[in-house]
């Protein structure tokens, strides 16, 4: 059973290798991809039940005891993120069957998605700071290929910027890890935490914390390091955009949450204050972009930036309530962003444009698409009792409890503006003078199935909050009590 930790990484890895050998057999690639992802979901669900029953699970690769070997760690936060990422990837792959195109499918689309999942699941699971860098690189190399797959002019242009930013970010990551190792003498994340606690976080550690914030801030797209994201995410087609928007920025957010709760929690006056200011500026910039643009992709992309700010505000407040809200919200946001990107992908496919001013009256021909988008939009904005409400409420409550009324107020105001931005799509795209769209060649029904499935997951997540709450509570407990993580990894308790 201990090898369960390895399965969410190993299954996609072996699948990716197998799919590369089947690159000319598209139908077989589709079947293998879906079966592999279903297997990964099952394995992760079993792991989730084991973590719930027995607590944090660890696996020392090569039987080298921690902190000397490479350790995989599944606490409740890690396994919830792995499960969510895998479920999203499964539905995006199903959407891809009828939207990504044979040309991209032939050029290793399915194996690259599996490699992307290896990097994402590995980043969520590793207990070694250098291997977090390694899994980041696996994820980024896969994203480079997905970004240029198809070779359109905009993809090639934006990929240059995306690659340059991430090369700089990766170089800074290695420098930050090197500095941290020179101070604490270990790469094991639990032992790093222990040694920083023993030294009571001297000034050099605070400097390293800021360097990590720059590194992960570039990955997660916080202000002012978000500049690369709107253009880069705009370039690829809807399924790839859904994977990027739902998963990639969340790995950066997770890394900030993990390091700032496990390493840099002793002297929070400076580090968390900077994080709070940047998170609020991220929300403001994201909201401005979301309400200013009339392009479907840009509106939802800027809403990705808003969500990053909301989650990190909860992390910066650093109370049990706000952390709980951030964890609740990050899982919601991953699912609902994937759903929204797929839904606008269908709208763009039908109308042939992403310009909101050039589409109208879609509800007449596609009522199911319209009302699915409406539910997703309400969930994104945090309208009760949908999934976005609970996480945002807890973050705001945490802000009020800690006396941060301005930050909590900005989040409340941002919810109204986020609602306006997505209702703008709903009112302008689906209503107005009907236009007859020739969509006979577009399998709208087949594209809607995975999209509706993701919206259903989001709705169930909100309506079953009481059932899910114990899992969120366990995840929060590990974050606010880092000793639990340290004991599980170093002493096997």
């Amino acid at each position: 059973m201990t090898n369960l930790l390895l399965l969410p990484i190993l299954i996609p890895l072996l699948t990716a290798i197998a799919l590369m050998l089947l690159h000319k057999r598209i139908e077989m690639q589709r079947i293998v991809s879906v079966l592999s992802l279903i297997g990964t979901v099952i394995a992760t669900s079993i792991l989730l039940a084991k973590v719930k029953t027995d607590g944090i699970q660890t696996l020392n690769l090569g039987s080298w005891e921690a902190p000397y070997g490479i350790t995989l760690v599944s606490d409740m936060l890690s396994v919830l993120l792995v499960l969510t990422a895998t479920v999203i990837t499964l539905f995006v792959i199903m959407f891809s069957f009828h939207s990504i195109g044979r040309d991209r499918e032939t050029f290793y689309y399915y194996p690259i998605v599996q490699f992307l999942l290896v990097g994402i699941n590995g980043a969520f699971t590793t207990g070694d700071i250098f291997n977090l860098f390694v899994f980041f690189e696996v994820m980024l190399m896969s994203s480079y290929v997905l970004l240029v797959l198809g070779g359109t002019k905009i993809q090639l242009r934006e990929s240059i910027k995306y690659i340059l930013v991430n090369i700089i970010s990766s170089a800074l990551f290695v420098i930050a890890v090197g500095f941290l190792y020179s101070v604490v003498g270990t790469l094991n994340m639990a032992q790093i935490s222990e040694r920083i606690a023993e030294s009571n976080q001297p000034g050099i550690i605070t400097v390293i914390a800021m360097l990590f914030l720059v590194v992960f801030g570039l990955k997660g797209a916080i202000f002012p390091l978000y500049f690369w994201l709107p253009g880069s995410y705009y370039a690829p087609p809807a399924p790839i955009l859904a994977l990027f928007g739902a998963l990639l920025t969340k790995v950066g957010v997770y890394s900030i949450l993990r390091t700032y709760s496990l390493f840099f929690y002793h002297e929070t006056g400076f580090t968390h204050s900077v994080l709070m200011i940047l998170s609020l500026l991220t929300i403001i910039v994201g909201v401005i972009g979301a309400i200013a643009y009339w392009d479907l992709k840009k509106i939802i992309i800027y809403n990705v930036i808003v969500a990053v700010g909301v989650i990190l505000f909860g992390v910066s407040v650093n109370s049990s309530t706000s952390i709980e809200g951030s964890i609740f919200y990050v899982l919601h946001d991953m699912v609902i962003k994937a759903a929204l990107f797929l839904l606008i992908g269908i709208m763009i496919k039908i109308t042939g444009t992403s310009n909101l001013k050039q589409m109208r009256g879609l509800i007449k021909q596609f009522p199911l698409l319209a009302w699915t988008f409406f539910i997703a939009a309400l969930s994104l904005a945090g309208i009760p009792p949908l999934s976005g409400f609970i996480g945002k409420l807890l973050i705001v409550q945490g802000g009020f409890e800690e006396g941060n009324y301005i930050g909590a107020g900005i989040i409340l105001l941002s919810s109204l503006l986020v609602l306006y931005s997505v209702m703008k799509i709903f009112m302008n795209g689906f209503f107005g003078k009907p236009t007859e769209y020739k969509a006979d060649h577009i399998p709208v029904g087949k594209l809607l199935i995975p999209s509706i499935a993701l919206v259903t997951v989001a709705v169930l997540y909100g309506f079953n909050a009481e059932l899910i709450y114990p899992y969120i509570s366990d995840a929060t407990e590990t974050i606010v009590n880092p000793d639990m993580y340290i004991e599980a990894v170093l002493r096997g308790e």
Side-chain angles (χ1 to χ4, degrees), residues 126-129 132 187-193 258 262-263 485:
T126 186
D128 181 286
I129 192 68
L132 179 61
L187 295 171
N188 182 281
M189 289 164 73
Q191 194 174 39
I192 290 171
S193 177
R258 179 66 77 189
L262 188 61
F263 300 170
Y485 186 98

Side-chain angles (χ1 to χ4, degrees), residues 8 31 63 69 71 76 97 106 116 160 177 188 190 304 308-309 313 334 356 394 409 413 432 453 460 467 470:
I31 294 167
S63 299
T71 306
M76 187 56 75
F97 295 166
T106 306
L116 184 78
I160 295 169
V177 170
N188 182 281
V304 170
V308 168
F313 176 77
M334 290 167 75
L356 193 52
L394 288 168
L413 180 60
L460 291 174
L467 295 175

